[in-house]
Amino acid sequence: MIIKTDFLESYLKDESNYLGKANSVYIPENEDELQEIISHCFNSDLHFTMRGAGTGLTAGSTPDKDVLISLEKLNKIKKIDTENERITIEPCVTLEQLDTYLKEYEYFYPPNPTESKSSLGGNVATNASGSRSFKYGPTRNFVTKLKVILPNGEVLKLERGKNIAKNGKLTFNTENNTQISIDVKNIFNTNVKNASGYYLTENMDAIDLFIGSEGTLGVFSEIELKILKRPQHIIGLIVWFNNFDKLYDFFSIINSKINKYSEVQPRIIEFYNTTSLNFLRATFPQIPETANYAIWIEEEYNKEDEDKLLENYFNIISEFSNIPDETWTAMSEEEHKKFATFRHSLPEKTTELVRQLGHTKLSIDVAVPMPLLKEYYLKVEEVFKGLEMPSCIYGHISSAHLHCDMFYSNAQEKVLADKIYSKVISIGLDLGGVVSAEHGIGKIKRQFFYQMYDEETINYMKSIKSTFDTKNLLGNNNLFY
């Protein structure tokens, strides 16, 4: 293993630019070393925080004291089982690495978080989702097995479907035959896209408690994922609008037709507001001058349906867009690569503000009930109006989940950004939404997590953590104060 005690700063930040502190960084080179380090921390009463690729936005992988354990060396793909559509990986395999590997077998991993360099361990820890979640759902839907090292060094193996809560109880058995039992209360809001706290629902699967637990209950050392055959044909469209009402009417049409009788069945519907497009214009000067908003769509299809599908889409586009002839279309692999560049350019541009110009990113990650999405957006747009610091609103409109990002560079801007952050989250909560739909709570969103849940529910979740982490050493100050 590698132990670092100096030059630690690169390990003390994630993409939020939140600066943590630690006395040392441990870098295990295999699972045995990882278990040894965790046992050492537990026996020495050292607080320890886990880090994967460091692409998080809530300081969840940023340590507050003592030890940081980096999983960067645990990045191997262990085996693929195409017959059963499963792949087994170590936790620091990245989405990009996995996708490249699966292409050789003509398979793909459906969840599609925006950051392609994020680790799968981090994705599981936050139950990350992305553009394709509209059709396929979040990470949780594709995790079939987990090997978890608990904070005391014992190992827990979890397989979907093997351990279901009964009569309000869940019981876990470690490899050392230690039995751990918890009471299960129905506290998790499943009516909206949600990554805010522990997944605790009636008749839940034991594996789901750890998915989205943000590195506070245990450490993933091995992950098995469900994979699917790569679709043969995909159409991509970027549709431009100068009017939000027209865009929303268009979205409502294609969103409402997701059923077996529908004419169009997109797997992706993504939204970009005016300031998002302004970030992209330098890289994509061909964006229409009159475009204030955009919708990006993808759909899988059979070749014999291609002409009819295109006709259906362009009929709908012509009805709602004032510049339908400017619509971008992707059918070939090369064209889809250009669309992928478009999609990833926005986070890359905003990351430049953080890394090169020293800005700090505040990313609002609220989701609301779908019937209230338009009301939520218009209220947020009004709050952001006239903001002088860089900002953008974009993302997963099909899940009623938009990213609202601000980038401040000084103390005065921070005060303003914090006020706006709090106001927007309050708007979302007042509409029945959640604090985080996919990024998690980490350290940055704790005050709003406490706003979302009452004291009794917070204490209940704390009791779950204490059951697995008896010394409260793992993921110090993630989720809870």
Side-chain angles (χ1 to χ4, degrees):
M1 75 181 71
I2 302 169
I3 303 174
K4 293 177 176 283
T5 56
D6 53 9
F7 306 107
L8 303 182
E9 187 167 334
S10 63
Y11 289 93
L12 302 183
K13 292 181 179 180
D14 65 1
E15 293 296 343
S16 71
N17 223 17
Y18 178 103
L19 180 63
K21 53 188 176 184
N23 297 325
S24 55
V25 174
Y26 288 74
I27 308 174
E29 301 198 34
N30 53 56
E31 186 178 345
D32 289 340
E33 287 187 359
L34 174 60
Q35 187 175 7
E36 178 186 339
I37 293 166
I38 291 171
S39 297
H40 164 70
C41 289
F42 183 81
N43 294 329
S44 304
D45 293 330
L46 293 171
H47 292 85
F48 60 104
T49 298
M50 307 308 302
R51 179 184 174 91
T55 59
L57 295 167
T58 64
S61 65
T62 300
D64 260 5
K65 62 195 305 186
D66 294 344
V67 172
L68 175 75
I69 303 175
S70 172
L71 299 173
E72 62 196 80
K73 301 288 187 181
L74 276 73
N75 61 353
K76 298 175 184 62
I77 296 173
K78 301 181 81 169
K79 66 176 180 180
I80 185 170
D81 177 359
T82 54
E83 183 177 347
N84 293 298
E85 299 188 320
R86 300 288 188 269
I87 191 164
T88 304
I89 60 171
E90 292 184 329
C92 218
V93 170
T94 66
L95 285 167
E96 183 177 59
Q97 179 187 352
L98 181 65
D99 188 58
T100 300
Y101 180 88
L102 289 175
K103 276 181 182 177
E104 297 181 16
Y105 296 87
E106 297 186 353
Y107 275 81
F108 80 119
Y109 173 63
N112 192 34
T114 304
E115 180 49 76
S116 61
K117 298 188 185 304
S118 64
S119 71
L120 271 298
N123 287 182
V124 176
T126 57
N127 189 34
S129 55
S131 57
R132 292 196 293 255
S133 297
F134 180 44
K135 178 173 182 176
Y136 293 109
T139 296
R140 183 185 311 283
N141 294 10
F142 291 85
V143 179
T144 52
K145 291 182 182 178
L146 288 175
K147 189 174 183 182
V148 183
I149 304 174
L150 297 179
N152 65 358
E154 291 195 50
V155 174
L156 188 63
K157 291 184 177 179
L158 300 165
E159 182 176 356
R160 187 167 295 284
K162 297 292 187 181
N163 186 6
I164 306 297
K166 295 179 181 178
N167 301 318
K169 293 281 187 182
L170 258 180
T171 300
F172 302 80
N173 291 290
T174 71
E175 286 191 331
N176 290 358
N177 293 318
T178 301
Q179 191 173 89
I180 302 169
S181 295
I182 63 168
D183 294 325
V184 176
K185 299 178 182 178
N186 191 24
I187 66 164
F188 196 80
N189 185 353
T190 57
N191 295 320
V192 296
K193 188 177 177 183
N194 191 359
S196 308
Y198 298 150
Y199 186 94
L200 289 154
T201 65
E202 294 175 347
N203 305 317
M204 64 177 287
D205 194 304
I207 200 171
D208 285 323
L209 177 62
F210 287 83
I211 300 168
S213 61
E214 299 195 44
T216 60
L217 300 178
V219 179
F220 308 133
S221 62
E222 185 177 282
I223 301 166
E224 183 189 83
L225 300 168
K226 180 181 179 181
I227 53 176
L228 298 178
K229 286 291 290 184
R230 193 173 288 268
Q232 294 300 305
H233 301 286
I234 300 169
I235 181 174
L237 299 161
I238 299 179
V239 189
W240 312 100
F241 300 85
N242 67 357
N243 178 280
F244 179 78
D245 287 333
K246 285 289 188 181
L247 175 145
Y248 201 85
D249 289 343
F250 170 79
F251 160 69
S252 297
I253 291 291
I254 61 173
N255 185 62
S256 66
K257 292 191 172 189
I258 307 308
N259 59 65
K260 63 182 179 180
Y261 305 108
S262 66
E263 295 178 344
V264 295
Q265 299 182 51
R267 69 176 188 176
I268 290 174
I269 309 175
E270 296 282 284
F271 167 78
Y272 298 85
N273 83 329
T274 305
T275 52
S276 299
L277 295 183
N278 289 342
F279 268 109
L280 293 167
R281 288 183 192 276
T283 307
F284 296 91
Q286 63 271 45
I287 292 174
E289 288 184 11
T290 57
N292 294 321
Y293 305 94
I295 288 281
W296 168 41
I297 304 163
E298 270 190 6
E299 178 167 340
E300 301 164 9
Y301 68 95
N302 297 317
K303 185 65 177 177
E304 61 268 24
D305 299 327
E306 182 174 291
D307 291 343
K308 182 62 176 175
L309 182 64
L310 282 168
E311 180 184 345
N312 288 336
Y313 268 117
F314 278 98
N315 284 340
I316 302 170
I317 291 167
S318 296
E319 183 178 349
F320 292 99
S321 173
N322 63 308
I323 43 175
D325 294 341
E326 298 282 359
T327 300
W328 294 0
T329 306
M331 308 289 283
S332 68
E333 184 175 352
E334 192 61 33
E335 289 168 336
H336 281 296
K337 284 180 180 177
K338 291 178 181 178
F339 272 35
T341 301
F342 180 88
R343 180 196 180 213
H344 291 294
S345 288
L346 183 57
E348 287 170 3
K349 289 290 185 184
T350 59
T351 296
E352 285 178 17
L353 286 173
V354 174
R355 290 182 176 170
Q356 297 179 17
L357 300 178
H359 286 61
T360 297
K361 180 177 182 177
L362 276 183
S363 184
I364 302 168
D365 184 32
V366 167
V368 297
M370 182 61 75
L372 300 174
L373 174 60
K374 185 175 183 180
E375 179 182 350
Y376 170 71
Y377 174 77
L378 292 174
K379 287 181 175 180
V380 173
E381 188 180 53
E382 187 64 29
V383 171
F384 271 56
K385 188 179 293 184
L387 193 61
E388 292 187 1
M389 74 182 83
S391 66
C392 53
I393 304 174
Y394 64 100
H396 319 307
I397 191 171
S398 56
S399 302
H401 165 217
L402 300 174
H403 297 296
C404 308
D405 295 347
M406 295 173 287
F407 306 85
Y408 64 82
S409 60
N410 56 54
Q412 185 177 357
E413 287 184 347
K414 182 182 186 306
V415 170
L416 177 59
D418 285 341
K419 286 181 179 178
I420 293 173
Y421 194 94
S422 180
K423 187 169 185 177
V424 170
I425 288 178
S426 292
I427 290 170
L429 292 178
D430 288 345
L431 293 173
V434 296
V435 171
S436 176
E438 68 178 357
H439 294 160
I441 302 300
K443 298 173 182 66
I444 289 177
K445 297 182 181 177
R446 284 175 298 176
Q447 71 182 89
F448 307 109
F449 185 57
Y450 279 64
Q451 183 180 339
M452 176 177 166
Y453 289 109
D454 60 28
E455 184 178 0
E456 180 182 352
T457 304
I458 293 287
N459 288 335
Y460 166 56
M461 283 189 273
K462 280 185 171 182
S463 75
I464 300 294
K465 174 169 173 56
S466 296
T467 301
F468 289 93
D469 184 9
T470 55
K471 293 184 178 181
N472 197 31
L473 297 175
L474 173 61
N476 187 56
N477 283 333
N478 282 355
L479 293 178
F480 310 112
Y481 288 107

